[in-house]
Amino acid sequence: MPHKPLLLTSALLLCGCNGVNANDAAAPDPQALVLACSGCHSVDATALPHLTGMDPERFLAAMRGFQAGSRPASIMDRIARGYSDAELAAMAAFFREP
Amino acid sequence: MNNARRRFLAGLGALGAWAASGCAPLKPHPSRATVVVVGGGYGGATAAKYLRLLDPDITVYLIDPAEPYLSCPGSNDVIAGLQDLARLQRSHAGLSRRWGVDWVRDEVTAIDADKRSVQLKSGAKFAYDRLILSPGIDFRWDAIPGYDEAASRTIPHAWKAGPQTELLRRQLQAMPNNGTVLITAPADPYRCPPGPYERASLIAHFLKRHKPRAKLLILDAKSQFSKQALFQEAWRRHYPDLVEWLPYTTTGKLERVDGNSVHCEFARFQADVLNVIPPQQAGALARQAGLADASSWCPVHPDSFASTLAPNIHIIGDACIASPMPKSAFAASAQAKACAVAVVAALQGRAAPSPTLINTCYSFVTPEEAVSVAGVYKVKDGQLTTVSGGETPRGADWRLEARYAMSWRENVRRDSFGE
């Protein structure tokens, strides 16, 4: 298994995402972050908001509200606290519709 | 937006238009690389789909003899008479039709790690660049004297969905009105840590309605369990005097099963319906291939779920050691995605990003109310670490959690099986 710090930058260059500065070696890779979300949030038919195409500001406001406990929740507050500001920003940019 | 991201968002979101338009990667592809996925449960199905989502040039074989797969999530509903077994069916056909997975209905009998190939029961051999195993669990039939595979034909474990699930349901329906149901719960680790207690709750719901003079006892090899305070609150509220939890600290250890009698060190119990949930281990294929350690589970690198014991082989789901993640369908699916990212990156000659994994396990305590445990996991110092999470907080709306639980079940059948 290769060690990630050496090649993180190249992974970011290849992931082709907007809103992430590929020169910043500490910038999170949205692909590694957003996949887990689709366990609950994805295709039609669910009771949960679609993340694809969500406005970045709306996404960030919701996640910050969950983190602070100011937005009513029983699940997302527990999950949102696992993500840093930089990770949330990368995810917001990823979900934004082209 | 580049193609990879477009495909990816389509996979995450409303993929209908994109997939239906014929843009889905269905065409025969010059295979730069071949990945063989063994095991078509939540872990293997998700891995196969996400490999194709992330890189449609990779040839992906999904090998499993069983079709349809029967989902364990939801199987306690069947036991309690709340839905039919048919509702647990998950077909692999969507993975091949919509995602271009080469689905092979066969059984892997041996793995040759040196030659990077798997041997199938039919005689065929498949070569791989990477192998992903999602073999699930096997029972340790030697762990409880008196309870072996033969005994399970009349005393169900019902811990893999199928005929056992229906056998336990029939036995509950036929039980005397003042009968005793006894569930034995194993020590950690095992598949679905809160499962025995959800099962107890939903069976209690059935008993309350149909056999109100009956009792349900849980003999537990643990002195504490997943979502304990929430389950015990639910039992006090809904099933007082019906459900009783007896940890081994009060009964002594389970020594043997003799027909419908369970002998513990300090006490003996007679059941009208006995459900033994036996101790477990990694699925046989992984153990026979030398991928399990002395614990009988498979050690893996948490960034990629690559085996620490053999090259080019990854193990995901219940069979791998991913503590503190529980052995759940949700966890298996999250691990499958992280593993797919790592495998695709390796095949493309680049390093994989370190994953962020999520698990959320819902348990129904009545047909309308559920409680949950959630966690977010990252790799720190080479170990999976919980960075946030917890159980349903005090005062939460259990009916809303039940809606989320049903929503998850519907979503994950699409997310994992591409249905």
Side-chain angles (χ1 to χ4, degrees), chain B residues 166-225:
Chain B
E166 294 197 303
L167 176 61
L168 182 53
R169 166 155 75 175
R170 285 197 304 274
Q171 290 182 350
L172 288 166
Q173 286 166 340
M175 187 182 82
N177 285 337
N178 61 351
T180 298
V181 180
L182 207 161
I183 298 173
T184 74
D188 293 316
Y190 62 95
R191 165 178 283 177
C192 193
Y197 315 97
E198 179 191 68
R199 176 171 293 181
S201 302
L202 293 179
I203 290 176
H205 172 79
F206 166 80
L207 297 175
K208 189 176 167 182
R209 288 175 67 200
H210 299 287
K211 301 173 193 284
R213 290 159 60 212
K215 292 266 180 205
L216 187 151
L217 305 179
I218 306 162
L219 295 182
D220 208 326
K222 304 176 290 302
S223 57
Q224 51 187 11
F225 61 89

Side-chain angles (χ1 to χ4, degrees), chain B residues 4 6 8 32 61 117 137 151 156 245 274-275 286 292 301 320 323 353 384 395 401:
Chain B
R6 191 188 312 280
F8 195 71
R32 274 188 307 119
Y61 293 104
S117 72
I137 55 149
W245 175 66
L274 176 57
N275 171 211
H301 295 288
C320 77
S323 176
L384 266 184
E401 294 231 322

Side-chain angles (χ1 to χ4, degrees), chain B residues 230-249:
Chain B
L230 295 162
F231 278 114
Q232 290 182 322
E233 183 185 337
W235 297 341
R236 274 194 302 274
R237 199 191 291 173
H238 295 292
Y239 317 116
D241 307 320
L242 202 165
V243 174
E244 190 174 0
W245 175 66
L246 297 167
Y248 77 96
T249 44

Side-chain angles (χ1 to χ4, degrees), chain A residues 11-54:
Chain A
L12 282 165
L13 287 169
L14 282 161
C15 86
C17 309
N18 302 325
V20 177
N21 181 355
N23 293 320
D24 178 4
D29 182 331
Q31 186 172 282
L33 295 165
V34 302
L35 281 179
C37 307
S38 66
C40 294
H41 297 262
S42 67
V43 203
D44 40 53
T46 76
L48 307 178
H50 294 186
L51 298 174
T52 308
M54 186 179 276

Side-chain angles (χ1 to χ4, degrees), chain B residues 82-115:
Chain B
L82 300 169
Q83 66 174 351
D84 293 331
L85 192 73
R87 290 281 301 278
L88 306 180
Q89 292 179 359
R90 305 287 181 267
S91 172
H92 301 103
L95 293 171
S96 58
R97 195 178 63 248
R98 299 181 73 169
W99 295 98
V101 172
D102 288 294
W103 168 38
V104 181
R105 286 190 66 179
D106 203 337
E107 186 179 339
V108 173
T109 54
I111 297 166
D112 188 333
D114 293 331
K115 290 186 177 149

